[in-house]
Amino acid sequence: MRQLYSIIPVLGIALIVASCWGRVLVKKDEVLHDRLIAFSGITPFVVLLGFTGIWFGFGKMACGPVFLSGMTCVFTLLGVLSVFRDVLTKRSSGVSGVLLAEARDALFLVVASVYSFFALDILWNETLFSLQFIFVLVSVVSLFVFYLFLYFIGQRTGIVVSLGVVVFTLTAIVQYFVVLFKNSAILPSDIFAIGTAAAVSSGYDLTLTKEALWLLVACAVVLFLLEFMAPAVGDGKKRAGIFVAANTVCALVVGGSALACFNTVDLADTFGTDKAAWQPLVSYKNQSFVPSFLTLAQRMRVKAPAGYTQGDAELLEATYAAAYETSVDPAVASGASEQFTDAKPAVIAIMNETFSDLSLMDGLGVGYQGPMYLHSLADTALAGNLSVSVHGGGTANSEFEFLTGNSRAFLGVAVYPYSIFSLADVNSLPKQFSELGYKTTAIHPNLGSNWNRNKVYEELGFDEFIDIEGFEGAETYHAGVTDAATYDKVLELLREDYSPQFIFDVTMQNHGGYTVGNVAQNLPQFDFPTAGDSLDAQMNEYLACIEQSDWALADFIEELRALDRPVVVVFFGDHQPNISAEFNDAMYTGEDEVAHAERIHTTQYFIWANYDIAGNDQVSARDDLSTSVLGAKLMEIIGAPMTDYQKATLAARTEVPAINSVGYRGTDGLWHDLTADDRAKTVNDLEWLQYLNFGSKV
C-alpha cells in the first residue's frame, strides 16, 4: 500500500511539468533564454517530490499518506509558482530599483541564515531555545557572512546561496542521525571520512521523522524565496564583464575578510566557546552547532615548521634512524627479533585512568609510600616515571601519544587530536601489530562516544572496540567499572583465542572527582599538613582508588604468570588527578616554572613479560620516558619490527631524554621551556619528524 501512496508526489511532478507547458502556451513569443531561467526554478521542488516519493515507498518516512499529501501540495504549489515567479514581482529601474533589490536580497540572506541556524540544531538539540545569546549571534553572523560570499559568487542571484541552504539542511539531517546512532556530533575531521560514512550508512535505519520532514518543507519555502534574488536593472546598465568582475571582487573581499577573521579571532578566547573535546555532543548542545564546529576547526591547523621541506625531513629521519641502528648491540637486537618472530607474544597495553604514584611529592608530607605492588614488582623489563602532556583530564591525549608516537609538544595544549583530526592516514601501534598478523582490540568500559573513540579507534586500526555495552553487570567502584573487570575481559580474550593479540585497555574506575564518598571500605585517614579539610578528603578518596587499582594489578599480573602463553604488559597512568596541583603549589614554592609544572605531569609505567625476554635480564631496569616514545620502547624491548620514525625518536633521546606539552628535559637533567628561542636543536628536529609523520597526514 505504501508503494501505491508513493505515487502521490509523482502527481505533483506532473502538475509542475504541466505548468511549464502552460507558460509555453501563454508566452508563445518568449525567448528561449527567459524560458529556461523560468523552468530552472522547478528543480528543487521536483527533486524534493521525487525524493519523498521514493523514501515513502521504502518505508523510510515516519508519516502516513495524509502528511505525504500535504507535503506534496506544498512542494507542488511552490514549484508551480516558481514557473511564473517573474510575473509575481515587478522590477523597477533606476537607483530606487537597485536599492530595493539590495534590501530584498539582504533580507533573504538574513532569512537563509536564521533558517540554517535553526535547521542545524532543531532536530537533535533539546537546549536550542535556552542557548546564550552570544552563541546565537555568532552562529547567525557566521552563516550570513558565508551566504554573502555565495551571493557574490553567484552574481547576486540566489542560485549558489540555495546550494548552501541545501548543504546545511542535509548536514542537519546527517547530524540528527549521528546523534541518534553514535551519540556524537559531526566534527571538522569528519569531512575527511565522508566516503567511509557513505559506505557504512546502509547498516542504519535512515527513517526520517516528522520533524525532519517539516524541516524539508521549511527548506523548500526558503529555496522558493531565494529564487526572487536577481540583480536589478539600472538606468545605465553596465556590460556583463564589468558586472561579473565587480561581484567577483566583492566575493574575494568578503571571503578574504572572513578567512582573516577565522585565522586571527580565537572563538574560545573571544566568545567563551568550549573546545568540545571531552564529549563533543555536550558542547554542541550547550553552544549550538556552528560555534562548536568552527571552534574545533580553528584547532585543526598543524603548521609546518619554519623552513620545512619533505625531502629534508625524510633525510633527517633516515639520519636519526641510522644513528639508532649503530647504537644498539646487534646480537641483542637479533636475539630479541628472532624470539618475537617465533613467539608472537600477546601484547597488553593498559592505560590506567588517573593512576600515579604521588609519593614522588615527598610522600605528600605524610610519609605516603605509593602503590605497594607497583613498587614490589621486581621483574619488569623496564620501569620508571612517565612524562605526560595532560593533568587532571585529557585522557585521550595520552592515548594519542602512546598509540601514535607523536607528542603534543608540537600541537599546543588546546589541541585534542581525537576530536579534530582524521587519524586514518597516521601510523599507529594497532596498525603495526595488524601488519604482523595480530588481532587488535581496544577496551574502555564507558560510552564509546567519549573522546570520539568509536570513530578514532577504527581509524587507528583496531579490529574491535569493546565499550560499556560489553560490561553489562560488571562490578563497579568509585567512578565506574572496576579495573579488575577490564582485566577479566583481557584474560577472557587471551583464553578464548591463542592467536597473536594486541589489546589496549583504558580503565575507568579512578576517574575524578573525589568527593563521591563511596570508597569508605579502604579509605586512608591521612591528615595532610599542606591542605584543608576539603582537599584532605579528596586526596584520601583518590589514594583509596589507587590502592584498589594496585590490588587489581597484582591479581592480574599473577594470573598472567600462570597463563600458558607468552604475554607482554605495558602499564602506565594517563595523568595525575587535578587536586595534585594544589599540593604541588603548597609544597614546592619559588622553583622554576617548567620544573614545577612537570612534577604534576608525571605518572609511572612499566614493561613486564611472563617469559624471559631475549637480551633483557628483567631486574627492573629504570628509565624515565615520555608517553610519545613508550610505544617505540616497548617494540624495541620485545624485538618487534620498528618504523624509522620510532627508531629516530629513540635516537633523539640521547639529547632530549623526555618531552611533553610542558617542556623537554635536556642532557643536563633539567627541564626547559619549549618556547624558548635557544631550545635544543634536537627539539626542532623532532618537530620536523613529527610533521613528516603526523602533521602532513592530517
Short mmCIF file of all heavy atoms in Angstrom, two decimals, residues 262-302:
data_model
loop_
_atom_site.label_atom_id
_atom_site.label_comp_id
_atom_site.label_asym_id
_atom_site.label_seq_id
_atom_site.Cartn_x
_atom_site.Cartn_y
_atom_site.Cartn_z
N PHE A 262 38.78 34.32 10.79
CA PHE A 262 38.86 32.94 11.29
C PHE A 262 40.27 32.62 11.78
O PHE A 262 40.44 31.90 12.76
CB PHE A 262 38.47 31.98 10.17
CG PHE A 262 38.52 30.53 10.56
CD1 PHE A 262 37.50 29.96 11.31
CD2 PHE A 262 39.58 29.73 10.17
CE1 PHE A 262 37.56 28.62 11.67
CE2 PHE A 262 39.64 28.40 10.53
CZ PHE A 262 38.62 27.84 11.28
N ASN A 263 41.27 33.17 11.10
CA ASN A 263 42.66 32.87 11.46
C ASN A 263 43.19 33.72 12.60
O ASN A 263 44.23 33.38 13.18
CB ASN A 263 43.56 33.05 10.23
CG ASN A 263 43.38 31.95 9.20
OD1 ASN A 263 43.11 30.80 9.55
ND2 ASN A 263 43.50 32.29 7.93
N THR A 264 42.51 34.83 12.92
CA THR A 264 43.04 35.73 13.95
C THR A 264 42.18 35.84 15.19
O THR A 264 42.69 36.14 16.27
CB THR A 264 43.24 37.15 13.36
OG1 THR A 264 41.99 37.61 12.84
CG2 THR A 264 44.28 37.13 12.25
N VAL A 265 40.88 35.60 15.06
CA VAL A 265 39.98 35.72 16.21
C VAL A 265 39.72 34.33 16.78
O VAL A 265 39.06 33.50 16.15
CB VAL A 265 38.64 36.38 15.82
CG1 VAL A 265 37.71 36.45 17.03
CG2 VAL A 265 38.89 37.77 15.24
N ASP A 266 40.27 34.07 17.95
CA ASP A 266 40.07 32.78 18.59
C ASP A 266 38.69 32.75 19.25
O ASP A 266 38.43 33.50 20.18
CB ASP A 266 41.16 32.53 19.63
CG ASP A 266 41.14 31.12 20.17
OD1 ASP A 266 40.22 30.81 20.96
OD2 ASP A 266 42.02 30.32 19.82
N LEU A 267 37.83 31.89 18.75
CA LEU A 267 36.46 31.84 19.27
C LEU A 267 36.41 31.47 20.74
O LEU A 267 35.61 32.00 21.51
CB LEU A 267 35.63 30.85 18.45
CG LEU A 267 35.31 31.27 17.01
CD1 LEU A 267 34.64 30.14 16.26
CD2 LEU A 267 34.41 32.50 17.01
N ALA A 268 37.26 30.53 21.14
CA ALA A 268 37.25 30.10 22.54
C ALA A 268 37.64 31.23 23.48
O ALA A 268 37.04 31.43 24.53
CB ALA A 268 38.19 28.91 22.73
N ASP A 269 38.65 32.00 23.08
CA ASP A 269 39.12 33.10 23.92
C ASP A 269 38.19 34.31 23.85
O ASP A 269 37.97 35.00 24.85
CB ASP A 269 40.53 33.53 23.49
CG ASP A 269 41.57 32.46 23.79
OD1 ASP A 269 41.28 31.58 24.63
OD2 ASP A 269 42.65 32.49 23.17
N THR A 270 37.65 34.57 22.67
CA THR A 270 36.85 35.79 22.47
C THR A 270 35.41 35.63 22.94
O THR A 270 34.84 36.52 23.57
CB THR A 270 36.86 36.20 20.99
OG1 THR A 270 38.22 36.30 20.54
CG2 THR A 270 36.15 37.53 20.79
N PHE A 271 34.80 34.50 22.63
CA PHE A 271 33.38 34.32 22.92
C PHE A 271 33.10 33.24 23.96
O PHE A 271 31.95 32.94 24.25
CB PHE A 271 32.62 33.99 21.63
CG PHE A 271 32.74 35.05 20.58
CD1 PHE A 271 33.53 34.84 19.46
CD2 PHE A 271 32.10 36.27 20.72
CE1 PHE A 271 33.64 35.81 18.49
CE2 PHE A 271 32.22 37.26 19.76
CZ PHE A 271 33.00 37.03 18.63
N GLY A 272 34.15 32.64 24.50
CA GLY A 272 33.96 31.65 25.55
C GLY A 272 33.40 30.32 25.07
O GLY A 272 32.78 29.59 25.84
N THR A 273 33.62 30.00 23.80
CA THR A 273 33.15 28.70 23.32
C THR A 273 34.03 27.60 23.88
O THR A 273 35.22 27.78 24.10
CB THR A 273 33.19 28.64 21.78
OG1 THR A 273 34.50 28.96 21.33
CG2 THR A 273 32.19 29.58 21.17
N ASP A 274 33.41 26.46 24.11
CA ASP A 274 34.12 25.30 24.63
C ASP A 274 34.86 24.61 23.50
O ASP A 274 34.40 24.61 22.36
CB ASP A 274 33.13 24.33 25.28
CG ASP A 274 33.82 23.26 26.10
OD1 ASP A 274 34.38 22.35 25.48
OD2 ASP A 274 33.81 23.34 27.33
N LYS A 275 35.99 23.99 23.81
CA LYS A 275 36.76 23.31 22.78
C LYS A 275 36.14 21.98 22.38
O LYS A 275 36.65 21.26 21.53
CB LYS A 275 38.20 23.10 23.24
CG LYS A 275 38.92 24.42 23.50
CD LYS A 275 40.31 24.20 24.03
CE LYS A 275 41.02 25.51 24.30
NZ LYS A 275 40.40 26.30 25.35
N ALA A 276 35.02 21.62 23.04
CA ALA A 276 34.22 20.45 22.63
C ALA A 276 35.05 19.19 22.56
O ALA A 276 34.89 18.38 21.67
CB ALA A 276 33.55 20.72 21.29
N ALA A 277 35.95 19.01 23.52
CA ALA A 277 36.87 17.88 23.41
C ALA A 277 36.42 16.66 24.19
O ALA A 277 36.64 15.53 23.73
CB ALA A 277 38.25 18.31 23.90
N TRP A 278 35.85 16.83 25.38
CA TRP A 278 35.52 15.67 26.20
C TRP A 278 34.39 14.89 25.55
O TRP A 278 34.61 13.85 24.92
CB TRP A 278 35.16 16.13 27.61
CG TRP A 278 34.48 15.11 28.47
CD1 TRP A 278 33.37 15.29 29.23
CD2 TRP A 278 34.87 13.76 28.69
NE1 TRP A 278 33.04 14.14 29.89
CE2 TRP A 278 33.95 13.18 29.58
CE3 TRP A 278 35.91 12.97 28.21
CZ2 TRP A 278 34.03 11.86 30.00
CZ3 TRP A 278 36.00 11.65 28.63
CH2 TRP A 278 35.07 11.11 29.52
N GLN A 279 33.19 15.37 25.66
CA GLN A 279 32.08 14.79 24.90
C GLN A 279 31.62 15.87 23.94
O GLN A 279 30.90 16.79 24.32
CB GLN A 279 30.94 14.37 25.82
CG GLN A 279 31.17 13.06 26.52
CD GLN A 279 29.91 12.58 27.24
OE1 GLN A 279 29.35 13.30 28.05
NE2 GLN A 279 29.48 11.39 26.93
N PRO A 280 32.04 15.81 22.69
CA PRO A 280 31.71 16.88 21.75
C PRO A 280 30.23 17.22 21.71
O PRO A 280 29.86 18.39 21.61
CB PRO A 280 32.18 16.31 20.40
CG PRO A 280 33.27 15.37 20.76
CD PRO A 280 32.87 14.76 22.07
N LEU A 281 29.37 16.21 21.84
CA LEU A 281 27.94 16.46 21.72
C LEU A 281 27.44 17.39 22.82
O LEU A 281 26.55 18.22 22.59
CB LEU A 281 27.18 15.14 21.76
CG LEU A 281 25.67 15.23 21.55
CD1 LEU A 281 25.35 15.89 20.22
CD2 LEU A 281 25.04 13.85 21.64
N VAL A 282 28.02 17.29 24.01
CA VAL A 282 27.60 18.15 25.12
C VAL A 282 27.87 19.61 24.79
O VAL A 282 27.02 20.48 24.97
CB VAL A 282 28.31 17.74 26.42
CG1 VAL A 282 27.98 18.72 27.54
CG2 VAL A 282 27.91 16.33 26.82
N SER A 283 29.06 19.87 24.28
CA SER A 283 29.41 21.25 23.91
C SER A 283 28.57 21.73 22.74
O SER A 283 28.15 22.89 22.70
CB SER A 283 30.89 21.33 23.57
OG SER A 283 31.68 21.07 24.71
N TYR A 284 28.33 20.86 21.79
CA TYR A 284 27.48 21.23 20.65
C TYR A 284 26.08 21.63 21.14
O TYR A 284 25.48 22.57 20.62
CB TYR A 284 27.38 20.07 19.68
CG TYR A 284 28.46 20.03 18.62
CD1 TYR A 284 29.81 19.90 18.96
CD2 TYR A 284 28.14 20.10 17.27
CE1 TYR A 284 30.79 19.84 18.00
CE2 TYR A 284 29.12 20.05 16.29
CZ TYR A 284 30.45 19.91 16.66
OH TYR A 284 31.43 19.86 15.71
N LYS A 285 25.57 20.91 22.11
CA LYS A 285 24.24 21.23 22.62
C LYS A 285 24.25 22.54 23.40
O LYS A 285 23.30 23.33 23.31
CB LYS A 285 23.73 20.10 23.51
CG LYS A 285 23.31 18.85 22.75
CD LYS A 285 22.74 17.81 23.68
CE LYS A 285 22.24 16.60 22.90
NZ LYS A 285 21.64 15.56 23.76
N ASN A 286 25.30 22.78 24.15
CA ASN A 286 25.33 23.97 25.00
C ASN A 286 25.58 25.26 24.24
O ASN A 286 25.23 26.35 24.71
CB ASN A 286 26.42 23.82 26.07
CG ASN A 286 26.04 22.77 27.10
OD1 ASN A 286 24.86 22.47 27.29
ND2 ASN A 286 27.03 22.20 27.78
N GLN A 287 26.19 25.17 23.06
CA GLN A 287 26.52 26.41 22.35
C GLN A 287 26.13 26.37 20.88
O GLN A 287 26.46 27.29 20.14
CB GLN A 287 28.02 26.71 22.48
CG GLN A 287 28.92 25.61 21.94
CD GLN A 287 30.33 25.68 22.50
OE1 GLN A 287 30.56 26.18 23.60
NE2 GLN A 287 31.29 25.18 21.73
N SER A 288 25.42 25.34 20.46
CA SER A 288 24.89 25.15 19.10
C SER A 288 25.97 24.65 18.14
O SER A 288 27.17 24.66 18.45
CB SER A 288 24.21 26.40 18.56
OG SER A 288 25.13 27.37 18.14
N PHE A 289 25.53 24.27 16.97
CA PHE A 289 26.39 23.56 16.02
C PHE A 289 27.52 24.44 15.48
O PHE A 289 28.69 24.06 15.52
CB PHE A 289 25.54 23.04 14.86
CG PHE A 289 26.30 22.21 13.86
CD1 PHE A 289 26.32 20.83 13.96
CD2 PHE A 289 27.00 22.81 12.83
CE1 PHE A 289 27.02 20.07 13.05
CE2 PHE A 289 27.71 22.06 11.90
CZ PHE A 289 27.72 20.68 12.02
N VAL A 290 27.17 25.62 14.96
CA VAL A 290 28.14 26.43 14.22
C VAL A 290 29.33 26.86 15.08
O VAL A 290 30.49 26.65 14.70
CB VAL A 290 27.46 27.64 13.56
CG1 VAL A 290 28.50 28.58 12.94
CG2 VAL A 290 26.48 27.18 12.49
N PRO A 291 29.13 27.48 16.27
CA PRO A 291 30.29 27.87 17.07
C PRO A 291 31.15 26.68 17.47
O PRO A 291 32.38 26.79 17.50
CB PRO A 291 29.67 28.54 18.31
CG PRO A 291 28.31 28.95 17.88
CD PRO A 291 27.86 27.91 16.91
N SER A 292 30.52 25.55 17.77
CA SER A 292 31.28 24.36 18.18
C SER A 292 32.13 23.85 17.03
O SER A 292 33.32 23.55 17.19
CB SER A 292 30.31 23.26 18.64
OG SER A 292 29.49 23.71 19.68
N PHE A 293 31.52 23.75 15.86
CA PHE A 293 32.24 23.26 14.68
C PHE A 293 33.40 24.18 14.34
O PHE A 293 34.53 23.73 14.08
CB PHE A 293 31.28 23.15 13.51
CG PHE A 293 31.85 22.48 12.30
CD1 PHE A 293 31.74 21.11 12.13
CD2 PHE A 293 32.52 23.21 11.33
CE1 PHE A 293 32.27 20.48 11.02
CE2 PHE A 293 33.05 22.60 10.21
CZ PHE A 293 32.92 21.23 10.05
N LEU A 294 33.16 25.49 14.35
CA LEU A 294 34.21 26.45 14.00
C LEU A 294 35.33 26.47 15.03
O LEU A 294 36.50 26.63 14.68
CB LEU A 294 33.61 27.85 13.85
CG LEU A 294 32.67 28.07 12.66
CD1 LEU A 294 32.12 29.49 12.67
CD2 LEU A 294 33.38 27.78 11.34
N THR A 295 34.97 26.32 16.31
CA THR A 295 35.98 26.29 17.36
C THR A 295 36.93 25.13 17.16
O THR A 295 38.16 25.27 17.29
CB THR A 295 35.32 26.20 18.75
OG1 THR A 295 34.50 27.35 18.95
CG2 THR A 295 36.36 26.15 19.85
N LEU A 296 36.38 23.96 16.85
CA LEU A 296 37.23 22.80 16.59
C LEU A 296 38.02 22.97 15.31
O LEU A 296 39.18 22.58 15.23
CB LEU A 296 36.37 21.54 16.51
CG LEU A 296 35.76 21.07 17.83
CD1 LEU A 296 34.92 19.82 17.61
CD2 LEU A 296 36.84 20.78 18.86
N ALA A 297 37.40 23.57 14.31
CA ALA A 297 38.10 23.78 13.03
C ALA A 297 39.31 24.68 13.21
O ALA A 297 40.34 24.49 12.55
CB ALA A 297 37.14 24.38 12.01
N GLN A 298 39.22 25.66 14.11
CA GLN A 298 40.36 26.54 14.36
C GLN A 298 41.54 25.77 14.94
O GLN A 298 42.68 26.23 14.82
CB GLN A 298 39.97 27.67 15.31
CG GLN A 298 39.13 28.75 14.66
CD GLN A 298 38.92 29.94 15.58
OE1 GLN A 298 38.77 29.79 16.79
NE2 GLN A 298 38.90 31.14 15.00
N ARG A 299 41.28 24.62 15.54
CA ARG A 299 42.34 23.86 16.16
C ARG A 299 42.82 22.70 15.28
O ARG A 299 43.58 21.86 15.71
CB ARG A 299 41.87 23.34 17.53
CG ARG A 299 41.99 24.44 18.55
CD ARG A 299 41.00 24.38 19.69
NE ARG A 299 41.27 25.49 20.59
CZ ARG A 299 40.89 26.75 20.35
NH1 ARG A 299 40.22 27.05 19.28
NH2 ARG A 299 41.19 27.71 21.21
N MET A 300 42.37 22.68 14.06
CA MET A 300 42.80 21.64 13.13
C MET A 300 44.10 21.99 12.41
O MET A 300 44.69 21.16 11.75
CB MET A 300 41.72 21.37 12.08
CG MET A 300 40.53 20.63 12.60
SD MET A 300 39.37 20.20 11.29
CE MET A 300 40.35 19.03 10.35
N ARG A 301 44.51 23.23 12.55
CA ARG A 301 45.65 23.68 11.77
C ARG A 301 46.96 23.19 12.38
O ARG A 301 47.28 23.49 13.52
CB ARG A 301 45.66 25.20 11.68
CG ARG A 301 44.47 25.77 10.94
CD ARG A 301 44.31 27.26 11.16
NE ARG A 301 43.99 27.58 12.55
CZ ARG A 301 43.48 28.73 12.95
NH1 ARG A 301 43.23 29.66 12.07
NH2 ARG A 301 43.23 28.95 14.21
N VAL A 302 47.70 22.42 11.63
CA VAL A 302 49.03 22.00 12.03
C VAL A 302 50.00 22.64 11.04
O VAL A 302 50.05 22.25 9.88
CB VAL A 302 49.18 20.47 12.02
CG1 VAL A 302 50.59 20.08 12.46
CG2 VAL A 302 48.15 19.83 12.93
#
